[in-house]
Every structure is written in C-alpha cells, then in structure tokens.
C-alpha cells in the first residue's frame, strides 16, 4: 500500500483524507530514459526504448503505461489486445514494434477523449461489459468493423468479431451494441 | 502494517466525524455469517480490523462507501450501493464506491484473507448495508429534529435531504451533527413491497471505465521501480526442479535475477516481455513427484472410496418419509468452468454459461438483492 500508486489507492487515500504523495520523477519505472525510437500513438509521437522485436502490446502497457489494451493469450487468439494500426484492427500482442514504426496507432485511450465515440456510447447504452477485461479489444474491433461496413448484418458482425473472445459471454449485447452504434453513426433518425 | 490501517484503528471505529466534517459509519462485511452492523461495530471496537467497509457522508453532500470486495464482473460495486441507497433514501447515482486498498483493516474475518468469492458478497451485505443505510438516515433525521427543535416524527428523509414543516436540510449539511448522534439500535428495514431500488435493473456503475480503458485490473497495477517476473512451474502439481541451466536466460536483455523456489524458477526482468523471452531459454528437468499418476480416474476412485467409508452428510431432512418413493442414484459432477448466477424478480431464476440461458425458476430465498443489470450475471460473488 505504501508504494502502490494506482487509482484505487489514490481514491482510497482521498477518501480517508490522507495527503497524496506524488511519485518522484525518474522513479516511475526501471527503464532508462534514453529513447531509441519513436512511435505515433493516439496522434502523439512518443519515445520508447524497447527492442524492435518487442510486441506493441508491451510497448503500450509497460513502456507507455497505457494499460487499457489488455494481455490475454499473447498469441493473437483472443483479441483482448486489439488496437488500430492505420485504422485497421490488429492484435498488438504479436505485432513487433518494428512493424508499426511510421504508422498511426490508436488504442482504446485514444478512441475518444470522453467516451463519445459511437461505439462507446452504444456500449454504455446497452451496458455491455461484465468483468470488462476483453471489452477494450471488443470495442476496437467493433469500431474498425463499422468503419469498413457501416451497416453490418448479424452474420457480418459475428464473422468480424469472432476473433474477440468474451469469457463472460456478453456476445448478444455486443451484437446489439454494434447495431446501435451503426444507428448512431448514421445520424439522427429520419 | 500501514498508515492506512493505523488510521483505521484510530478513526474508523463505528460512527465518527469524517475528515472535513461528515458522518462515518464503520461496518463489517465478514463472510462469516455473523451479523454485524454499525451498532455491533461499536461493540467490537477493540477489533478494528473487522471494520472493513465504511459509509461516509461529507459536508459537500457526497456519499461514499469503501468496499473490500473486488468488482470482477459480478456487479458488486453496483449491488452493494443499491442496498445502502435503498435505506438511506438517496438516488443510487449519489453514491460513489471506492475500492479498498490492500490492508489489515480489510481482511475478511470469515476466511482470514482479503478475498472475494463463494458468491457471498450480496448475501453477506444484504442486511448489514441496509441497516447501515437506515442507521445513517436515522442519525441524520435525529440531527435535523434537534436542529429545528421539533419532534423526530415530523421529519422525513427525502432523496438526500431531511424535510419538515416546509424546511429542508441536505444530508451534507447535517452530516457533522449526525456523527454526534447515538447509533440507533432498533433498526426497522423496509419491507420488500416498498423497495424502490433493490430488485430493479440499472446500468452498472463500473461500465464507463470499462469502455474507455481506464478501469484498473490486477495486471494494470504499477509500482514505482517495479520489475516483472515470469515463472516456470512443474507440469505436475507439487513437482520440483531437478536440474536447471539458466546461463542463456541470465544473458538475455533486461534480465535482473533468476531465482529458484520450491516449485519452480522465476525470471525477473525490467519488462514482462523480456522475462517471458528469457523463460523460454531455461533448461529445466523436472522431478514430477508423487502426483505424477494423478488423473481424473484416480481422483474419482479416491472420492468413491472416501464416500463409501464415511457416514456422509445430511443436506436436508424434510418430512418423515411416509409414503415416499425412494430413488437411489450415484451422481458425479465434474468441476464446471462455467459461471452461474441467480436473479430475483418475484421468482428466482438460475442462469449459467451465458446471459439469457435460463435454466429454471428456483424457490425464493431471502438473501438476494437481485441482478444489478438486465439479465443475470456470471458467478463471482
């Protein structure tokens, strides 16, 4: 507890009226400060010192502290790590850093600033998540699907989303929310 | 162990004044089946570690509960506030949930750990949190009656305020005074027929963080200077390392330490990916130990042997058996990975595996607050 600086601890300390301690610069992690390469994530150019064969997932999570993208299987089988690379849904757990240099990466954190993306709105309206672990990947896959196919059928949704597993079994709500997001993207009802 | 726990002992014993002026109620979610409320909490003040959930009403009208149970999709961050909101007479949206950090104060006395499981969170909290909500409401009402010098019977709790004779005070305005009121011992809970919040579907309060990536899971916790470990373990439970060659792993980028434990080898590196890569290069031969022959058939045979040797347990004993038809069967269940959950909307339903897979209505059971959402949720607690 003393050294844990995550949101739960900060919230708990705030709740209990304990002064917040700000982590000292240079003590956030053990990696060195020397950048060896830069990548573009959510429209920001960021320096990372990871080996070029490090999967993008770990660059995002460990090096850049963007933990919204999840580690599931590490073998591109479950979809929890899905991000957009130049707009296309990709499994970041098997995508080496060297393959995304010069490309535009979008993660769940960058889909919108305020949960205003149509897919996020629909997700909240239908209240899709249960445990939530797979949902970043589900949402990124759904957003990519709707970009290429603004009005997918049930069968097209199932085909496009079949690589995103949900152990809680939220599939019926996911499908419903994708239809709803398609409506939202199409604009106000005529 | 920590300043938080120490503060817990000093400041969070039963009711008290919150930092900044407000009402605090300590209560116990024990999982032990022992009923405790804020009133009991006062009696058990010497064992402050048992007070592991708190209700706080602040001067700014914010209402917070700190919950020692993990939200893992079972809806506990939504269901537990529903219990409080019902009796406190507030809108559920007015309540914020704060996850309890790790600390002695949050150890579940029922099992000795900071554990969420066995589907007991709502069952355990069912009366306690409602009682805490009711007690807080009564203390606020007492404070309002004193303030206005009127009979408590004239005061009504309405949506986060106490009103009487056309005058209104908010809970926040009353919180500091309410903290000085005695904790009511005689608490009358709302009958089921008057429930406004419990049993009604509503959106989960944890959903927003799960659609923007900000929800914090165990894997997302980051400590200052944290290293990452990948563990190689015996393919057989209880197996041990016979020989280890970690020379190559030790030379891999980012690797800091290679440690041996009773059950395996731990590779510690700057980043998780580095630890994973280095683990692949470990040369380990395993001593599988005594469990090598253990398989489903052997476990089944052991269970049958044990069952045949003992007198067994009586699960239920209803009636005297007169005129009953006797059926005998040996039933064997495998461990089920599927999640299951129950929902109460008049009659119980049991669902398993996926939302919407309805099995059958069950008999009513008093210890259920109903689903926190449309349809029934998976297991957990």
């Amino acid at each position: 507890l003393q050294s844990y600086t995550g949101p739960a601890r900060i919230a708990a300390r705030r709740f209990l009226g304990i002064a917040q301690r700000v982590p000292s610069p240079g003590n956030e992690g053990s990696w060195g400060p020397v950048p060896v390469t830069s990548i573009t994530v959510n429209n920001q150019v960021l320096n990372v010192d990871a080996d070029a064969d490090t999967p993008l997932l770990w660059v995002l999570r460990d090096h850049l502290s963007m933990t919204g993208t999840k580690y599931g299987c590490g073998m591109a089988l479950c979809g929890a790590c899905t991000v957009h690379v130049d707009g296309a849904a990709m499994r970041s757990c098997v995508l080496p850093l060297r393959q995304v240099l010069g490309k535009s990466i979008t993660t769940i954190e960058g889909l919108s600033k305020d949960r205003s993306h149509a897919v996020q709105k629909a997700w909240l309206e239908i209240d899709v998540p249960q445990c939530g672990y797979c949902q970043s990947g589900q949402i990124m896959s759904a957003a990519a699907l709707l970009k290429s196919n603004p009005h997918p059928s049930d069968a097209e949704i199932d085909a496009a989303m079949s690589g995103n597993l949900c152990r809680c079994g939220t599939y019926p709500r996911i499908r419903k929310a994708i239809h709803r997001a398609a409506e939202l993207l199409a604009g106000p009802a005529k | 162990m920590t300043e938080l726990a120490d503060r817990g002992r000093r400041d969070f014993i039963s009711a008290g004044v919150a930092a900044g002026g407000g009402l605090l109620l300590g209560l116990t979610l024990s999982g032990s089946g022992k009923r405790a409320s804020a009133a009991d909490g006062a009696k058990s003040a010497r064992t402050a570690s048992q007070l592991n959930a708190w209700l706080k009403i602040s001067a700014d009208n914010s209402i917070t509960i700190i919950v020692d149970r993990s939200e893992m999709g079972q809806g506990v961050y939504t269901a537990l506030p529903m219990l409080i909101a019902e009796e406190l007479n507030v809108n559920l949206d007015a309540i914020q949930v704060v996850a309890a950090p790790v600390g002695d104060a949050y150890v579940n006395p029922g099992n000795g750990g900071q554990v969420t499981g066995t589907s007991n969170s709502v069952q355990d909290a069912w009366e306690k949190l409602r009682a805490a909500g009711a007690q807080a409401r009564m203390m606020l009402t007492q404070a309002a009656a004193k303030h206005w010098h009127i009979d408590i019977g004239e005061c009504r709790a309405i949506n986060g305020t106490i009103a009487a004779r056309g005058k209104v005070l908010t809970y926040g305005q009353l919180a500091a005074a309410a903290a000085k009121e005695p904790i009511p011992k005689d608490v009358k809970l709302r009958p089921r027929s008057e429930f406004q919040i419990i049993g009604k579907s509503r959106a989960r309060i944890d959903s927003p963080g799960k659609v923007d990536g900000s929800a914090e899971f165990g894997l997302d916790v980051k400590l200052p200077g944290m290293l990452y470990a990948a563990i190689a373990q015996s393919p057989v439970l209880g197996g041990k390392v016979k020989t280890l060659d970690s020379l190559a792993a030790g030379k891999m980028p980012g690797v800091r330490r290679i440690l041996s434990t009773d059950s395996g080898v731990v590779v510690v590196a700057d980043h998780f990916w580095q630890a994973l890569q280095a683990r692949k290069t470990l040369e380990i031969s395993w001593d599988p130990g005594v469990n090598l022959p253990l398989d489903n058939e052997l476990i089944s045979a052991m269970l049958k042997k044990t069952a045949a040797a003992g007198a067994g347990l009586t699960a239920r004993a209803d009636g005297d058996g007169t005129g009953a038809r006797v059926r005998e069967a040996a039933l064997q269940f495998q461990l089920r990975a599927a999640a299951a959950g129950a929902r109460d909307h008049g009659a119980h339903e049991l669902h398993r595996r996926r939302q919407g897979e309805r099995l059958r209505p069950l008999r009513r059971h008093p210890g259920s607050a109903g689903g926190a959402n449309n349809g029934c949720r998976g297991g957990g607690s």
Side-chain angles (χ1 to χ4, degrees):
Chain A
L1 176 67
Q2 290 290 5
S3 52
Y4 168 51
T5 57
R9 176 177 184 271
I10 291 166
R13 289 174 68 88
R14 190 172 295 140
F15 172 79
L16 295 166
I18 301 171
Q20 302 293 320
R21 194 176 49 204
V22 180
S24 56
N27 194 27
E28 297 88 358
S30 56
W31 49 92
V34 185
V36 301
T37 189
S38 63
I39 55 171
T40 306
V41 184
N42 301 331
N43 295 320
Q44 276 189 296
V45 180
L46 301 167
N47 293 329
V48 289
D49 67 343
D51 287 343
D53 58 354
T54 307
L56 175 61
L57 171 67
W58 299 109
V59 176
L60 294 170
R61 290 187 54 85
D62 284 5
H63 295 251
L64 299 173
S65 295
M66 293 182 182
T67 53
T69 306
K70 299 303 181 202
Y71 169 49
C73 63
M75 294 182 279
L77 300 171
C78 77
C81 66
T82 305
V83 299
H84 295 174
V85 179
D86 286 344
M90 307 279 272
R91 309 300 187 218
S92 65
C93 72
V94 293
L95 191 60
L97 179 58
R98 69 164 59 85
Q99 284 186 26
V100 298
L101 299 179
K103 296 186 177 173
S104 176
I105 299 151
T106 308
T107 69
I108 186 73
E109 290 93 346
L111 196 59
S112 73
K113 282 195 175 83
D114 48 5
R115 300 189 283 268
S116 60
H117 188 281
V119 171
Q120 290 170 310
K121 279 186 184 169
W123 242 247
L124 285 174
E125 206 178 299
I126 311 291
D127 209 7
V128 172
Q130 187 172 311
C131 90
Y133 197 81
C134 72
Q135 297 295 337
S136 298
Q138 303 280 2
I139 289 167
M140 296 310 282
S141 286
L145 164 65
L146 289 170
K147 212 178 234 179
S148 63
N149 181 355
H151 295 285
S153 65
D154 279 352
E156 286 167 336
I157 290 172
D158 290 351
M161 300 296 292
S162 66
N164 287 82
L165 305 184
C166 174
R167 198 270 192 187
C168 300
T170 60
Y171 303 115
R173 290 203 294 274
I174 287 171
R175 195 197 275 168
K176 208 169 149 189
I178 291 174
H179 284 306
R180 178 64 185 137
E183 279 174 25
L184 291 171
L185 284 167
K190 280 153 198 141
Chain B
M1 61 150 234
T2 65
E3 57 184 289
L4 185 69
D6 292 338
R7 278 183 66 91
R9 279 184 197 99
R10 277 206 310 277
D11 300 343
F12 300 116
I13 298 162
S14 67
V17 181
L23 172 65
L24 270 175
L25 277 182
L27 52 145
T28 306
L29 296 182
S30 70
S32 63
K34 181 182 168 243
R35 293 208 175 133
S37 62
D40 294 328
K43 280 182 220 148
S44 61
R46 267 155 272 115
T47 53
S49 66
Q50 289 186 4
L51 299 173
N52 52 8
W54 292 283
L55 167 63
K56 175 179 158 186
I57 300 173
S58 299
D60 64 359
N61 290 316
S62 66
I63 302 170
T64 314
I65 63 168
I66 189 162
V67 175
D68 64 334
R69 300 296 168 97
S70 299
E71 173 59 78
M72 52 181 95
Q74 83 278 42
V76 74
Y77 283 4
T78 309
L80 297 191
M82 286 169 81
L83 301 178
I84 295 233
E86 181 71 62
E87 294 290 342
L88 194 55
N89 281 9
V90 294
N91 193 320
L92 185 56
D93 298 330
I95 296 185
Q96 288 183 306
V97 176
V98 171
V102 176
D104 289 349
Y106 306 100
V107 168
N108 181 336
N111 54 32
Q114 204 170 330
V115 176
T116 306
T118 67
S119 298
N120 71 15
S121 291
V122 169
Q123 289 183 53
D124 184 47
W126 174 244
E127 282 193 355
K128 292 170 193 168
L129 287 189
R130 286 160 68 215
Q135 283 169 319
R137 186 197 69 231
M138 290 162 81
M139 290 162 79
L140 292 158
T141 311
Q142 286 162 15
K146 254 187 206 170
H147 181 78
W148 288 322
H149 304 288
I150 59 173
D151 190 80
I152 194 165
E154 290 188 61
C155 301
R156 293 276 171 278
I158 305 163
N159 199 20
T161 65
I162 305 291
R165 298 188 188 177
K167 288 177 287 194
V168 175
L169 285 171
T170 67
Y171 282 3
Q173 288 170 316
L174 289 164
K180 292 169 195 141
E181 290 294 320
I183 301 174
K185 296 251 189 307
D186 194 16
V187 180
K188 209 175 152 200
L189 299 176
R190 265 189 189 162
R192 185 180 290 259
S193 59
E194 289 173 22
F195 284 167
Q196 303 288 316
I197 294 169
I198 294 173
K200 293 200 168 72
S201 286
R202 59 149 292 129
R204 302 168 58 112
I205 67 169
D206 54 322
S207 287
K210 291 175 176 178
V211 307
D212 66 12
S214 65
E216 187 184 51
F217 292 81
L219 193 76
D220 303 330
V221 172
K222 206 161 214 178
L223 305 173
M226 188 166 97
L227 300 174
Y228 294 80
I231 306 171
Q233 286 182 295
S234 168
V236 178
L237 188 69
K240 290 188 186 337
V241 176
K242 198 159 44 177
T243 64
L244 166 69
D245 178 355
S246 61
L247 213 63
K251 291 176 184 161
M252 296 281 285
V255 172
R256 298 285 191 100
R257 291 282 290 277
I258 295 169
L259 309 163
S260 286
T261 72
D262 279 353
S263 61
V265 182
V266 182
V267 180
V268 183
D270 290 339
H271 297 295
F272 185 59
W273 173 248
Q274 295 169 331
L276 272 182
Q277 296 305 101
R279 185 180 67 177
K280 286 181 193 166
T281 70
L282 293 173
E283 300 276 353
I284 306 171
S285 63
W286 298 98
D287 169 8
V290 294
N291 287 328
L292 186 61
L294 193 69
D295 59 12
N296 284 354
E297 275 178 35
L298 187 59
I299 291 171
S300 179
M302 286 160 63
L303 290 172
K304 279 180 188 159
K305 195 180 161 194
T306 308
L313 292 171
T314 303
R316 261 177 82 168
D318 298 344
D320 60 6
T322 311
R325 218 170 64 186
V326 177
R327 279 188 198 174
E328 283 186 34
L331 303 173
Q332 190 172 338
F333 294 91
Q334 63 186 15
L335 184 67
R336 286 187 189 276
R343 184 185 185 202
D344 182 350
H345 50 86
H348 266 68
E349 292 174 2
L350 179 68
H351 299 240
R352 70 178 171 92
R353 284 190 176 277
R354 295 206 290 190
Q355 275 77 30
E357 188 187 354
R358 181 176 300 186
L359 294 184
R360 59 181 169 182
L362 298 174
R363 71 188 177 87
R364 289 177 79 89
H365 185 281
S368 167
N373 201 340
N374 53 327
C376 187
R377 295 339 190 67
S381 63

